[in-house]
Amino acid sequence: MTSTVDPISLPQRTASNDTEIDREALARLLIEIARNVDPDYRARFDGVPAADPRMETLRQLLVSREISELSRVTHLLDEPEQLAAAVGDVLPSAAARAPHAQLGEALAPAVERAVQRSIQKSPRTLTDILYPVFLPAIRKSIGEKIDQTFQSLNETLRHIFTWHGLKWRFEAWRTGASFSEVVLKHSLVYRVEHVFLINRNSGLLIAHVTADNATSEDPQLISSMLSAIQDFVKDSFNEKEQSGLDTIRFGDLRLWSEVGPFATLVSVIRGNPPEELHEIVRDVLLRIHDECSQALEQFDGDSSQLAGVEAQLQTCVELKQEESNQGFPWLVVAAALLFLIPAGGWFFLSWQSGQRWQAYVSRLETQPGIIVAEQKMRGGQFYIAGLRDPLGADPQSLLSGTQVDPARVHSQWQFYQSLEPEFVLKRLTASLAPPDSVRLSIVNDRIVAEGEAPDTWIDRARAAARQLSAGGPEFDISKVRDVSPEARAAERWQAYVSRLETQPGIIVAEQKIRDGQFYIAGLRDPLAADPQALLSGTQVDPARVHSQWQFYQSLEPEFVLKRLTASLYPPDTVRLSIVNDRIVAEGEAPDTWIDRARAAARQLSAGGPEFDISKVRDVSPEARAAEHWQYYVSRLEAQPGIIVAQQTARGGHFYISGLRDPLAADPQALLSGTQVDPARVHSQWQFYQSLDPKFVVKRLTASLTPPKSVQLSIIQGRIVVVGEAPAAWISRAQAAAEQLSADGVVLDVSQLHELDLAELNHLREAIQTTDIFFSSGKVVPGPEQVPVLDRLAGQIKEFAQDARKSGVTARFMLTGHSDATGRETANASISAARAETVRALLNKRGVAPELLLVRGAGTFEPAVPENSQTGSSTNRRVSITVNLD
C-alpha cells in the first residue's frame, strides 16, 4: 500500500511538567511503528530512520496472521450486507450481557420509531398482538362492574321500602352521595379472615396472614388444595393458562382469587363484601410484585427473601365492616305513629264510605229497568244520574241496608220505557187484560201467550204484537186457540180427518167445510176400519158429515195378508207373517197346498208385496224320506276320512258307495238321528288310508308313542313335532318323516331337540352307588340301614318324577347279593329274598311297586373278592341299577 502523506512537522514544544505528553517523541514512535508495519509508508520525519528490511521479515513472522485477519475485518466493514450478517450473529449474546438500564436507553429511540412505523403501516398487527392480553382484563373488569351494579341494585331493592331504607335515603340527601352507595355502605357486612399468597407455578405457600379470632387448619394444606382445585378446573374444562378460578362460595364464606405473574392472592371473606374489594386486593398483589418480583419468580420454598410480604398482606385482613349497633329510634317511630294513626283512620273511613257507595251503585246496576249513566264522589257527597223505568225498583228505597247516608246522596233520574221482557210483559198485561184462560209468560226472552180466547181478544193481541216488533221482544200468540163455536167445530173436524188419514186402507181424496156442513170423499178397502165408527169420540156431529167412499183393494201388506189367509186357508203347520214388507210363509204343508200358494204368489207379483213360500217344506212321505237321506249324505260328506263316490235313491231304497279310512267315523253309526230307516240303506265302502293330517297324527301317535315332552300339532296343513326326546326316538321320527314325504305329507321334526339328561345322570349316579348291607344269614337290613333306605326312597321318587317330566320312564333293578358262606342254592335264595325285602321297604316309603324290579345274583357278582379282609360283609348287600325307557 503506497502512502502519499506529506512530511510531518510538529510545533516545537517541550514538556512543561510530568503530566503533559512529549508530542515529538510520540510522533517519532508512531512513524517508526508505521514504517515497520507498512513498508510502503512514505511519511518522513526528521530524526526517524527509514524502515529496516529485517523488521519486515520479523513482522511477517510475528503478525502475519493478525494482518490477514485485520484485512478480513476491514473488508467486512466495507461490505454492508456482510457486516449486518456478522452483527446479527453476535447481537443476541451482546444484548444479553449488556446492563439492562444502558440497553434500554440505547434501544428505546429505535424501538419507538420502529413501533410507530409498524402501527402506521399495519394497525391490525398490533390489535392481534394486544387482543389476547387486554381482552381477558377488559372482560374481567366489565364482569366485576356488572357484579357491582347487580349487587348495588339487589341491596337497594331489598331496603328501598324498609325503615333503614328511609333513614339511608335521608342520609344520601344530606351527604350528597347516591342512595345505592349509602345502602352498600350500611348493608354489606363482611370481614377478611385469611389471606394466602401462593406461588403460581409450584403451588407452594409463600405467606399466610390470619385475622384476629379467625381459626383454620394447616395453611400449607389449604394452599395445596386451592392449587389442586385450580389445576383440576383447567384440566377438566380445557381452560386457557392465563384464566383462573375467580370466586368460590361456601355458605357464608367466599374465596376471592387474584392472579399475578408469579403468585396468586387468595382472600377468605366472611359475609357479603362489596365488589370494590376486588380492586383493593388487586392493588396489594401489584405492590407485592413490584417490590419482590425477582424473589417471587425464583421462589423455591424459602420465604426469607420475602419478609416484607406479610406486612402487605396484613392490610388485607384488616378490611372489614361490622353491623351498626345504634339504638332503636324510638322518638322517630313515635312521631311517625302520631302522624300515621290519624291519617290511617281518616283513610280507612274514607275507604269504607267509598266501598259502601260502590256496593249501592253495583246494586243499582243489577236492577232491571235502571241504567246508571254517571256516578261520582266529591267533598263527602255522592252524585248519581241515569234512566229509570216507572215499573222498576225505587232507587231511594234501595239505600236501606247499605249504610249510606241518604242525606249525602244526590240523584237525578229520567223516566224511560225499558224493553226488557219483564217490563213489556207487565205493560201487555195491563193493556190487553187477558182472560183467565190465557197465560202470558217469558220463554227465552220471548213473551208467549198460551190458552184459549175469543177472536176479538186474539185480534187485539196480534195488533199489540205488531207494535212490539219495532224494537221490543217478540210477542208469540200462536199457542192461543180461538174459542168461538165455528173455530171449535173446524178444529174437531181437522182432528177427525187426520185420524182417517193415518188409517191403513183409507185414502182421503177431498175434504171441506161449507155452511156448517162437513164433506169428505176418497177410497176405502173393505177390510179397513169403518169411517163412520171413527166419528165417535171426536165431538163432530154425525148428522153434519157427508161422506162418499169408493171401495178398492189396498196393496198394503197387512190387507194382502188378510186376503191370502182368507183364500188359501193355510194349515196349522204353516204360519204367514210380514217381514220387511214381504209376506213370508214358514212351516210344513202338503204339496197340493204348496201348489195353490205358488199360484197365489204369481198373481201377487203384478203389483202387490212379494209372497215367499220357500220356507214351507213338503210333508209328503216320499219328500220327507228324500230330505232325510240328503241330510245323511251331507253329514257323511262332511266327515274327514270318508269320500262319497256315488249315492242314489231307487224304489224306496237308498244306495251309497265310496272310500273310508279305518280311523274315520262309522257310516252306520251316523244314521242315528237322521230318521233314515237303516234297513233301506245299502252301502259299499272300500278301506283306504287318508292323508288328512288328523288321521296321520293318530297313526304317528300309535306307531311312534311319543314321550310326554313331545307334542304333535297341525299347523297350516303341516304336522309339526315340538319338544325334547331321546336320540333313539328322534331317529324313528326322522325315518317316519322320510316315509310320509313320499305321500306328500310334511312331518316337520326341525323343532325337535335331543333330551338333556345331565341332571338325571347326577341323581342316577347317586342312586346306583348306594348299597343296602345285611348281616350274615339275614334277609332284613339292620337298624343302621334305615337312614340309607330313607335317603334312597327320596332319590328314587325324585328321579322317577324328573324322568316323567323329561318324557322317559325309569325302572329300578334291585339286585340281591350274598357272600360265599354256605351252599350256592341257599345263597341264591337269600340274595333274592334280600332284594324282595328292600323292595317292600321302599314301597313302604312311598315308592311305586311298578317302578321296582328284583333279582337274586347270589355269589356271582361280588363287589370285592371274598378272600379280602372286608369281602364277606361288603358282598352281603342289595345294589340298585337305573334303567330308562
Side-chain angles (χ1 to χ4, degrees):
M1 185 172 72
T2 302
S3 175
T4 60
V5 180
D6 295 334
I8 300 174
S9 63
L10 295 174
Q12 298 295 325
R13 184 181 179 185
T14 60
S16 61
N17 52 43
D18 294 338
T19 60
E20 293 185 1
I21 299 173
D22 188 353
R23 298 180 181 276
E24 182 178 354
L26 179 60
R28 289 194 186 98
L29 179 59
L30 291 175
I31 292 300
E32 186 178 357
I33 291 173
R35 285 177 178 176
N36 287 298
V37 172
D38 186 3
D40 297 332
Y41 188 73
R42 299 305 181 190
R44 295 187 303 277
F45 190 76
D46 294 339
V48 178
D52 190 349
R54 291 175 298 175
M55 293 297 294
E56 174 64 20
T57 304
L58 181 62
R59 181 182 67 81
Q60 292 293 334
L61 291 174
L62 294 177
V63 295
S64 60
R65 182 179 178 184
E66 286 75 4
I67 292 172
S68 62
E69 188 67 24
L70 183 61
S71 299
R72 187 184 66 81
V73 171
T74 303
H75 179 71
L76 181 65
L77 294 174
D78 293 339
E79 296 292 334
E81 294 182 357
Q82 296 184 12
L83 179 60
V87 172
D89 292 339
V90 299
L91 184 60
S93 59
R97 295 180 181 179
H100 293 291
Q102 295 179 3
L103 181 63
E105 293 176 358
L107 294 178
V111 171
E112 289 176 358
R113 288 193 299 271
V115 170
Q116 290 176 358
R117 291 173 184 173
S118 176
I119 294 173
Q120 292 173 358
K121 182 179 179 181
S122 179
R124 183 173 180 82
T125 303
L126 180 64
T127 303
D128 296 338
I129 294 172
L130 297 180
Y131 176 80
V133 178
F134 284 102
L135 183 62
I138 294 171
R139 183 168 57 237
K140 184 175 182 181
S141 176
I142 293 175
E144 291 179 359
K145 202 63 180 178
I146 291 175
D147 292 341
Q148 179 181 352
T149 303
F150 275 108
Q151 186 181 32
S152 174
L153 177 62
N154 183 36
E155 294 299 327
T156 302
L157 292 177
R158 284 178 55 193
H159 299 90
I160 192 170
F161 294 115
T162 63
W163 168 251
H164 290 292
L166 296 175
K167 183 175 67 174
W168 294 342
R169 190 173 293 279
F170 175 74
E171 181 180 346
W173 171 78
R174 181 174 55 83
T175 60
S178 65
F179 176 64
S180 59
E181 293 177 357
V182 176
V183 170
L184 290 179
K185 172 184 174 182
H186 291 280
S187 63
L188 299 184
V189 179
Y190 69 94
R191 177 192 181 194
V192 180
E193 295 188 351
H194 301 273
V195 179
F196 298 86
L197 186 65
I198 304 170
N199 186 270
R200 187 175 178 185
N201 295 325
S202 62
L204 296 175
L205 179 64
I206 299 174
H208 169 236
V209 178
T210 306
D212 296 338
N213 300 325
T215 60
S216 67
E217 298 296 333
D218 185 5
Q220 186 64 49
L221 177 61
I222 297 174
S223 171
S224 302
M225 291 300 296
L226 291 175
S227 301
I229 291 173
Q230 291 274 2
D231 297 337
F232 169 75
V233 173
K234 290 179 182 179
D235 296 340
S236 299
F237 302 101
N238 296 324
E239 286 295 318
K240 298 179 180 178
E241 183 65 28
Q242 63 267 24
S243 60
L245 196 62
D246 295 330
T247 303
I248 300 177
R249 182 169 182 174
F250 185 79
D252 197 31
L253 287 179
R254 298 171 187 249
L255 275 71
W256 280 6
S257 175
E258 293 294 339
V259 181
F262 307 115
T264 301
L265 183 61
V266 180
S267 304
V268 180
I269 308 168
R270 184 178 300 277
N272 189 15
E275 291 296 326
E276 292 88 347
L277 191 61
H278 276 294
E279 299 179 2
I280 300 174
V281 175
R282 194 178 301 118
D283 291 341
V284 173
L285 182 61
L286 291 176
R287 288 198 302 271
I288 292 174
H289 275 81
D290 289 341
E291 297 174 1
C292 311
S293 61
Q294 187 173 2
L296 290 174
E297 182 180 7
Q298 299 173 358
F299 181 76
D300 56 356
D302 184 10
S303 58
S304 60
Q305 301 292 331
L306 300 167
V309 171
E310 291 189 358
Q312 297 283 354
L313 298 180
Q314 189 67 32
T315 60
C316 293
V317 298
E318 293 174 356
L319 298 172
K320 61 181 178 178
Q321 179 170 323
E322 300 178 348
E323 294 181 350
S324 176
N325 294 323
Q326 296 179 357
F328 189 79
W330 294 105
L331 185 59
V332 177
V333 173
L337 289 177
L338 290 175
F339 171 75
L340 291 176
I341 289 174
W346 176 83
F347 176 78
F348 175 74
L349 294 175
S350 300
W351 174 82
Q352 189 179 45
S353 178
Q355 290 296 109
R356 292 169 179 171
W357 170 251
Q358 291 299 327
Y360 169 66
V361 172
S362 300
R363 186 178 180 185
L364 281 180
E365 289 175 339
T366 60
Q367 290 295 321
I370 294 179
I371 300 176
V372 177
E374 183 182 3
Q375 62 89 16
K376 60 183 177 181
M377 298 172 53
R378 187 173 69 247
Q381 303 294 315
F382 306 105
Y383 300 89
I384 191 167
L387 302 177
R388 171 177 170 249
D389 191 287
L391 298 176
D394 184 8
Q396 200 70 17
S397 63
L398 294 175
L399 275 172
S400 61
T402 61
Q403 299 182 6
V404 177
D405 185 7
R408 299 168 60 192
V409 177
H410 309 277
S411 57
Q412 186 176 3
W413 300 103
Q414 299 292 331
F415 287 110
Y416 84 111
Q417 280 194 354
S418 174
L419 294 180
E420 294 186 21
E422 51 262 44
F423 294 102
V424 176
L425 176 60
K426 290 180 180 180
R427 292 189 181 91
L428 286 175
T429 304
S431 61
L432 293 177
D436 296 337
S437 58
V438 174
R439 181 173 62 88
L440 273 66
S441 60
I442 299 173
V443 179
N444 296 330
D445 293 332
R446 296 162 58 246
I447 300 174
V448 178
E450 297 177 285
E452 297 178 347
D455 52 359
T456 56
W457 188 90
I458 294 175
D459 293 338
R460 288 171 54 211
R462 287 196 181 99
R466 287 192 295 271
Q467 293 175 359
L468 287 178
S469 62
E474 181 184 352
F475 183 26
D476 183 6
I477 59 173
S478 60
K479 296 182 179 181
V480 179
R481 293 178 296 170
D482 189 356
V483 294
S484 58
E486 294 79 7
R488 289 280 184 91
E491 182 179 343
R492 293 166 182 168
W493 170 250
Q494 291 300 327
Y496 169 66
V497 172
S498 299
R499 187 178 180 185
L500 281 179
E501 289 176 339
T502 59
Q503 290 294 321
I506 294 178
I507 300 174
V508 177
E510 184 183 3
Q511 64 87 16
K512 60 183 177 179
I513 304 173
R514 189 173 65 243
D515 299 331
Q517 302 293 313
F518 306 104
Y519 300 89
I520 190 168
L523 302 176
R524 170 177 170 255
D525 191 286
L527 298 176
D530 184 6
Q532 200 70 16
L534 294 174
L535 275 172
S536 61
T538 61
Q539 299 182 9
V540 177
D541 184 6
R544 298 168 63 189
V545 176
H546 309 277
S547 57
Q548 187 177 2
W549 300 102
Q550 299 292 330
F551 287 108
Y552 83 112
Q553 283 192 353
S554 174
L555 294 180
E556 293 186 18
E558 52 264 41
F559 293 103
V560 175
L561 177 60
K562 290 180 180 180
R563 292 189 181 89
L564 286 174
T565 303
S567 61
L568 292 178
Y569 298 108
D572 297 337
T573 55
V574 174
R575 182 173 62 89
L576 274 65
S577 60
I578 298 173
V579 179
N580 297 330
D581 294 332
R582 296 163 57 248
I583 299 174
V584 178
E586 296 178 285
E588 298 177 347
D591 52 1
T592 54
W593 189 90
I594 293 175
D595 292 339
R596 288 171 53 212
R598 289 196 181 98
R602 287 192 294 272
Q603 293 175 359
L604 288 178
S605 62
E610 180 185 354
F611 183 27
D612 183 6
I613 59 173
S614 60
K615 296 183 180 181
V616 179
R617 293 176 295 169
D618 190 353
V619 293
S620 58
E622 294 78 9
R624 285 284 184 88
E627 183 179 345
H628 295 159
W629 170 250
Q630 290 301 325
Y631 170 73
Y632 170 65
V633 172
S634 300
R635 189 176 180 186
L636 281 178
E637 290 175 338
Q639 290 294 322
I642 294 179
I643 300 175
V644 177
Q646 185 179 7
Q647 62 86 16
T648 58
R650 187 172 63 249
H653 289 264
F654 307 104
Y655 301 88
I656 191 168
S657 60
L659 303 176
R660 171 176 170 256
D661 191 287
L663 297 176
D666 184 7
Q668 199 70 18
L670 294 174
L671 276 171
S672 61
T674 61
Q675 299 183 14
V676 177
D677 185 4
R680 299 168 63 188
V681 177
H682 309 278
S683 56
Q684 187 176 1
W685 301 102
Q686 299 292 330
F687 286 108
Y688 84 111
Q689 281 193 352
S690 174
L691 295 179
D692 189 293
K694 291 182 287 186
F695 295 103
V696 176
V697 168
K698 289 181 180 180
R699 292 191 181 90
L700 287 174
T701 303
S703 61
L704 295 177
T705 59
K708 295 180 180 179
S709 59
V710 174
Q711 181 181 3
L712 277 69
S713 57
I714 301 171
I715 300 175
Q716 296 180 354
R718 299 163 57 250
I719 301 173
V720 179
V721 186
V722 181
E724 296 180 345
W729 193 91
I730 293 176
S731 300
R732 291 169 53 206
Q734 291 173 345
E738 293 176 357
Q739 294 176 359
L740 289 174
S741 63
D743 297 330
V745 178
V746 178
L747 177 60
D748 185 3
V749 295
S750 60
Q751 302 183 38
L752 195 60
H753 304 287
E754 186 174 351
L755 186 64
D756 185 10
L757 301 177
E759 297 182 1
L760 290 176
N761 290 335
H762 178 73
L763 189 58
R764 180 180 188 177
E765 185 68 22
I767 293 174
Q768 292 187 152
T769 56
T770 301
D771 292 326
I772 309 299
F773 296 100
F774 296 82
S775 300
S776 179
K778 301 293 184 181
V779 296
V780 177
E784 72 278 1
Q785 298 299 315
V786 172
V788 179
L789 286 168
D790 294 339
R791 184 177 68 254
L792 180 62
Q795 292 174 342
I796 290 175
K797 290 187 286 185
E798 181 182 357
F799 186 90
Q801 184 177 3
D802 293 344
R804 282 194 298 271
K805 292 180 180 179
S806 300
V808 295
T809 303
R811 294 286 189 271
F812 304 92
M813 177 62 72
L814 306 178
T815 304
H817 304 273
S818 67
D819 55 16
T821 304
R823 293 180 298 170
E824 188 64 36
T825 56
N827 290 334
S829 298
I830 201 171
S831 64
R834 286 170 177 168
E836 287 290 350
T837 301
V838 172
R839 179 182 182 182
L841 292 174
L842 291 176
N843 187 17
K844 184 178 179 181
R845 285 167 172 77
V847 180
E850 63 271 10
L851 300 178
L852 303 175
L853 304 176
V854 296
R855 73 183 184 93
T859 60
F860 294 106
E861 299 176 6
V864 295
E866 278 290 328
N867 54 7
S868 64
Q869 185 177 359
T870 60
S872 298
S873 60
T874 303
N875 289 333
R876 294 191 297 271
R877 75 191 193 284
V878 172
S879 61
I880 301 96
T881 305
V882 181
N883 299 316
L884 295 175
D885 299 333

